[in-house]
Amino acid sequence: MNVFIVGVGLIGGSFAKDIKRLRPESKIYGIDTSASHIKEALDLGVIDLESSYADLALADMVIVSIPVDVMITELPKILDAVNDNCVVFDGGSTKSLICKTLDAHPKRRNYLAAHPIAGTEHSGPRAAIENLYVGKTNIICEVEKTAFKLQERALELFQEIGMRIRYMNPEAHDKHIAYVSHLSHISSFMLGKTVIDKERNERDIFDMAGSGFESTVRLAKSSPAMWTPIFEQNKENVVETLTEYIQNLQEFKQLLEKGDYKGIFNEMNDTNKIKEILNGIPLNKK
């Protein structure tokens, strides 16, 4: 199988590593605008060969992992270049605009709209991790618009890797992901900003930062070049989640100002149910 990775970073590189492990006979080609990323990916053995769009006619599978604003312009070009028996899927964190952009493309049947819910705060080929996707959820949108034999090829790979598959329409995907992913990144960035602003006056604040701060602010190390377009494409949903989040923060502040510590306890105690959600245990309905 000839696999082309467009965007040889954490997401694309991790797919490449798993494919090499599971299907060692496959040939992995890398396409990236960064010459240093290509060299690093070759040196690390993440890809076998450097390539370009001119070679896409040879592809059996193309994995696109680039910023979502760039996907809008590049996915149509990639579909133009592939053969009729090639499946193209992406790892974009937004789906509505991408799906609308490709809806009338002559080779729409070759495209599978996907979003593997996995990653770290790191980027580039060196960030690629084997088994990154094991046990992770992969959201598939508009599966009915992908040719059956081509979706089968991608789904078979996802199953081999050990991913869980969920099907959603693009609008539902973007709304839900705003809560469970996009808001988390904004919170982390803004917590980091708050502490950095304070640190300018109190140089020893980071000496006092413990593991709780480190884990909460971890996502603030993510690439702004990747996340700014995500917030742009999912602006409406992100604004809605921010409005609700800010309201909760204001209510917590008011409880503290009033000295309502029982109310604070109850808020935190109710929120402890998140442990059951994250463990996959259904909440008991009152």
Side-chain angles (χ1 to χ4, degrees), residues 137-141 164-168 176:
T137 299
N138 194 356
I139 308 296
I140 307 295
C141 297
R164 298 178 296 182
I165 304 299
R166 286 285 307 273
Y167 297 96
M168 285 187 182
H176 294 317

Side-chain angles (χ1 to χ4, degrees), residues 7-284:
V8 189
L10 166 67
I11 299 300
S14 296
F15 269 116
K17 284 196 164 192
D18 283 346
I19 292 169
K20 278 177 167 286
R21 173 175 54 86
L22 295 166
R23 303 180 179 185
E25 75 285 355
S26 296
K27 185 78 72 174
I28 311 292
Y29 298 80
I31 300 175
D32 202 295
T33 55
S34 170
S36 62
H37 276 189
I38 288 292
K39 182 180 184 305
E40 190 174 293
L42 287 167
D43 291 344
L44 294 170
V46 175
I47 61 173
D48 299 313
L49 295 165
E50 178 182 3
S51 192
S52 69
Y53 286 6
D55 299 322
L56 283 174
L58 303 172
D60 299 301
M61 177 178 289
V62 180
I63 303 169
V64 185
S65 179
I66 53 181
V68 291
D69 58 333
V70 184
M71 281 192 193
I72 298 303
T73 58
E74 297 306 301
L75 274 169
K77 298 176 187 176
I78 292 166
L79 286 173
D80 287 341
V82 300
N83 67 73
D84 289 341
N85 294 312
C86 174
V87 61
V88 177
F89 70 86
D90 70 310
S93 185
T94 59
K95 291 271 85 77
S96 293
L97 183 57
I98 293 171
C99 287
K100 287 176 184 175
T101 300
L102 296 177
D103 193 52
H105 194 283
K107 291 183 180 175
R108 175 61 184 83
R109 61 187 292 280
N110 292 79
Y111 169 66
L112 184 70
H115 180 200
I117 313 294
T120 71
E121 69 274 25
H122 305 296
S123 59
R126 198 170 295 279
I129 302 170
E130 193 171 305
N131 293 321
L132 173 67
Y133 303 111
V134 174
K136 301 300 193 304
T137 299
N138 194 356
I139 308 296
I140 307 295
C141 297
E142 299 185 332
V143 67
E144 71 281 358
K145 294 186 178 182
T146 307
F148 183 72
K149 66 176 181 178
L150 299 181
Q151 59 175 268
E152 267 196 324
R153 185 183 305 162
L155 292 171
E156 184 179 325
L157 174 66
F158 300 152
Q159 184 178 25
E160 283 183 40
I161 289 174
M163 305 186 82
R164 298 178 296 182
I165 304 299
R166 286 285 307 273
Y167 297 96
M168 285 187 182
N169 65 59
E171 293 73 27
H173 167 276
D174 287 2
K175 186 175 184 67
H176 294 317
I177 207 69
Y179 282 89
V180 297
S181 175
H182 301 172
L183 181 59
S184 302
H185 282 79
I186 295 171
S187 299
S188 187
F189 275 113
M190 291 303 99
L191 174 59
K193 179 184 186 302
T194 303
V195 173
I196 287 171
D197 289 345
K198 186 67 175 176
E199 188 267 348
R200 291 189 180 114
N201 299 318
E202 298 184 16
R203 299 295 304 175
D204 60 350
I205 193 168
F206 282 112
D207 293 335
M208 301 169 63
S211 59
F213 173 78
E214 184 179 0
S215 62
T216 306
V217 83
R218 175 181 64 85
L219 296 177
K221 295 183 280 185
S222 301
S223 167
M226 181 180 78
W227 279 95
T228 302
I230 290 171
F231 298 144
E232 179 183 3
Q233 287 193 14
N234 206 21
K235 174 183 173 181
E236 184 178 335
N237 289 314
V238 170
V239 167
E240 179 182 323
T241 64
L242 275 173
T243 300
E244 295 177 24
Y245 184 48
I246 291 168
Q247 181 180 338
N248 283 326
L249 288 174
Q250 289 174 333
E251 289 174 357
F252 189 93
K253 179 171 175 280
Q254 289 166 4
L255 289 173
L256 194 58
E257 288 172 339
K258 291 188 297 184
D260 185 356
Y261 303 113
K262 182 178 180 181
I264 288 174
F265 175 88
N266 289 336
E267 287 288 324
M268 294 190 294
N269 191 49
D270 288 343
T271 307
N272 268 172
K273 294 185 179 72
I274 197 72
K275 292 183 290 188
E276 299 174 12
I277 297 172
L278 294 177
N279 287 331
I281 302 170
L283 289 173
N284 292 323

